[in-house]
Amino acid sequence: MRIFALVLLLSLKLFAIDATLEIVKNTNKIPYIVVERLDSDNADFGTKILKMLVADLKVSGHFQANDGGVVKPTHITYKDYADKKIDLLAQIKVSKSSNTLTGTISLYDINASKHIYTKNYTEDELKRFPFIAHRMTIDVNNYIHAPSIQWMNRLVVLSQYTTSGNSEILIADYTLTYQKVVVKGGLNIFPKWADSKQESIYYTKYLEVPTIVRHNLATGQIEQLVGSEGVAMVSDVSKNGENLILSLSPTALSDLYLYNTKSKNLRRLTNYSGIDVDGKFVNDEKEIIFVSDRLGYPNIFMMRIDGGGTEQVVLHGRNNSAITSNGQYAVYTSRETNNEFGSNTFNLYLISLAPGSNYIRRLTASGKNQMPKYSSDGGSIMYLKHYKAQSALGIIRVDYNTNYFFPLTKMKIQAFDW
């Protein structure tokens, strides 16, 4: 995908800030930063990294950012920048040697009239140039002591359909500008990160039956875990990576199971004649939230890991088919229309999981909004949006009421994890 795909197609103000969500920055007071590119050895990658850096700074929600273009190296005249109401200046240059890229950023605090730091960032694969920009952004963000945006440097793992009966698994940066196929051949679906370091993944591969496997991305080693005649997928992974919530259907329709990766013990959590899927750990992993059709249509329920009673969580909508959680809040999909022969609208809603809370907030307003996934820090939500004939990967910065989209071209995503 070309760098131009990074253009932020839409930045929507959603709904009024809720008292339950803390606003960490006042958008009227966030610093104004200009990014300039110095004459360098490689104008092609220099331009790409500059555009990516400006976009990253905007997505963070902590900066007003502008592209300052190409300049010649010279002494910094702080007053000239101050007269333009600029708070921070970032000057970058990029050099290429064989298949290695090195990006250098010099950051200047205009108000303090001083040079803050100069740092180098290296990638040994040219296609990974977005990560140079992402890491630059993280360091600039750290300088102003803003809330962490480390999620920008994390990989997304996704499966995409290629031909009939075939799909491949890729890893990508959060904009999908960098993409690398890591699994191909046959049907490979439902990828899930196996550990916080993102060294291994789980996914479902069709062998004799759908089978959950663990794949070490560094060594290529593949370990088979559990197979099931119908559904077999990893729905969630505990923070320490030792426990998995599996959706399996060994005899009939799917139920949820707890699988321990050390003991290999498999324990059934739900025992319902219908469909229970998509379980997620919540409340310090003492409970799970999941999708069930036990009301005659998909809805969201909660239960204790130790076998407590099942409780309906969502009282809104009649088709709530996907759920994600950061432990304290959950985001689910809800069908808003009931068109039997045409397209329907699916929106995302955020709810509090606090006992007795009836807090609910709509996050999207149009189109089909599906597959919500929380970021590792629980502050952002990634999802797929389909509107008319266009598809995009969306990111909601929850505390900032902003929504950014990255267009999808020639990609049919089956599932992803962040």
Side-chain angles (χ1 to χ4, degrees):
M1 186 180 299
R2 298 185 304 169
I3 184 65
F4 301 108
L6 184 62
V7 174
L8 304 178
L9 295 185
L10 189 59
S11 179
L12 294 177
K13 292 295 179 183
L14 298 178
F15 295 88
I17 299 295
D18 302 287
T20 52
L21 295 176
E22 178 185 3
I23 298 306
V24 291
K25 284 288 175 183
N26 184 321
T27 55
N28 294 323
K29 296 181 180 179
I30 61 176
Y32 175 30
I33 183 171
V34 169
V35 183
E36 299 174 341
R37 181 173 69 81
L38 300 177
D39 285 341
S40 62
D41 297 334
N42 196 287
D44 180 23
F45 282 102
T47 298
K48 291 178 179 180
I49 290 174
L50 182 147
K51 291 182 180 297
M52 183 74 72
L53 177 55
V54 171
D56 279 353
L57 290 164
K58 291 179 180 178
V59 172
S60 76
H62 303 153
F63 300 90
Q64 299 178 69
N66 272 336
D67 181 343
V70 181
V71 299
K72 293 186 178 296
T74 184
H75 177 73
I76 301 297
T77 306
Y78 291 97
K79 185 178 183 305
D80 291 346
Y81 291 99
D83 289 344
K84 299 176 184 177
K85 308 299 181 183
I86 295 171
D87 300 300
L88 296 169
L89 170 67
Q91 291 187 334
I92 67 168
K93 60 181 179 180
V94 177
S95 60
K96 173 180 172 291
S97 177
S98 185
N99 201 42
T100 299
L101 278 181
T102 299
T104 302
I105 183 172
S106 294
L107 183 67
Y108 299 88
D109 189 323
I110 302 302
N111 297 319
S113 298
K114 67 177 182 180
H115 169 247
I116 305 304
Y117 62 73
T118 295
K119 290 187 178 181
N120 295 323
Y121 305 81
T122 299
E123 290 290 346
D124 293 329
E125 185 181 348
L126 296 181
K127 293 194 303 181
R128 285 182 57 90
F129 75 86
F131 290 99
I132 291 180
H134 300 337
R135 286 152 54 202
M136 286 179 173
T137 305
I138 290 168
D139 284 340
V140 174
N141 186 75
N142 290 341
Y143 170 68
I144 68 169
H145 303 291
S148 174
I149 52 171
Q150 286 290 337
W151 55 265
M152 283 191 177
N153 200 43
R154 288 180 63 82
L155 289 162
V156 178
V157 61
L158 61 94
S159 57
Q160 69 165 348
Y161 293 113
T162 51
T163 58
S164 178
N166 288 276
S167 61
E168 58 189 16
I169 294 178
L170 303 83
I171 55 175
D173 77 311
Y174 84 95
T175 72
L176 302 189
T177 303
Y178 165 75
Q179 297 180 19
K180 180 179 180 180
V181 176
V182 294
V183 178
K184 59 182 178 180
L187 191 62
N188 307 285
I189 53 179
F190 301 122
K192 194 80 177 173
W193 287 112
D195 53 89
S196 60
K197 294 182 180 180
Q198 298 191 318
E199 295 175 345
S200 299
I201 58 173
Y202 296 111
Y203 63 94
T204 302
K205 188 173 186 67
Y206 192 87
L207 301 173
E208 293 183 2
V209 296
T211 303
I212 296 170
V213 301
R214 180 181 175 124
H215 184 150
N216 186 301
L217 296 178
T219 65
Q221 180 181 0
I222 296 177
E223 173 191 2
Q224 294 186 25
L225 271 66
V226 180
S228 179
E229 286 289 344
V231 174
M233 68 177 181
V234 176
S235 296
D236 202 11
V237 180
S238 65
K239 289 182 179 179
N240 62 11
E242 293 184 9
N243 291 306
L244 313 179
I245 299 178
L246 307 183
S247 297
L248 301 173
S249 54
T251 56
L253 299 177
S254 63
D255 275 300
L256 298 173
Y257 293 75
L258 188 68
Y259 180 83
N260 185 274
T261 58
K262 290 189 174 181
S263 68
K264 311 300 181 184
N265 180 61
L266 182 67
R267 177 165 68 89
R268 192 170 189 165
L269 296 175
T270 64
N271 190 2
Y272 166 60
S273 59
I275 297 173
D276 290 337
V277 293
D278 206 19
K280 301 292 188 297
F281 289 107
V282 296
N283 296 333
D284 297 324
E285 300 182 359
K286 296 176 182 177
E287 297 178 289
I288 61 170
I289 194 168
F290 60 99
V291 177
S292 176
D293 71 346
R294 57 189 68 202
L295 294 180
Y297 56 89
N299 202 282
I300 312 301
F301 293 82
M302 185 185 295
M303 66 174 289
R304 290 186 59 84
I305 289 287
D306 61 12
T310 301
E311 172 189 359
Q312 182 181 354
V313 176
V314 174
L315 303 176
H316 167 270
R318 291 185 59 83
N319 191 316
N320 307 311
S321 55
I323 186 76
T324 185
S325 177
N326 64 1
Q328 297 178 322
Y329 290 89
V331 174
Y332 65 91
T333 62
S334 179
R335 190 179 68 192
E336 309 284 66
T337 53
N338 191 21
N339 190 333
E340 185 177 353
F341 302 104
S343 61
N344 284 290
T345 296
F346 288 81
N347 279 317
L348 302 182
Y349 285 80
L350 183 147
I351 57 173
S352 170
L353 298 180
S357 174
N358 58 1
Y359 170 72
I360 183 171
R361 172 182 169 193
R362 191 171 71 173
L363 298 177
T364 60
S366 62
K368 293 182 180 179
N369 304 280
Q370 300 170 318
M371 300 185 199
K373 302 289 181 184
Y374 261 107
S375 59
S376 57
D377 65 1
S380 302
I381 299 156
M382 182 179 286
Y383 67 103
L384 294 183
K385 186 178 188 72
H386 306 283
Y387 183 70
K388 295 183 179 179
Q390 297 180 334
S391 296
L393 183 74
I395 291 183
I396 299 173
R397 298 284 284 139
V398 179
D399 289 357
Y400 306 90
N401 276 6
T402 52
N403 199 340
Y404 300 93
F405 294 102
F406 305 93
L408 298 174
T409 56
K410 299 180 180 179
M411 176 177 282
K412 189 176 181 181
I413 295 178
Q414 181 267 334
F416 70 90
D417 191 32
W418 192 10

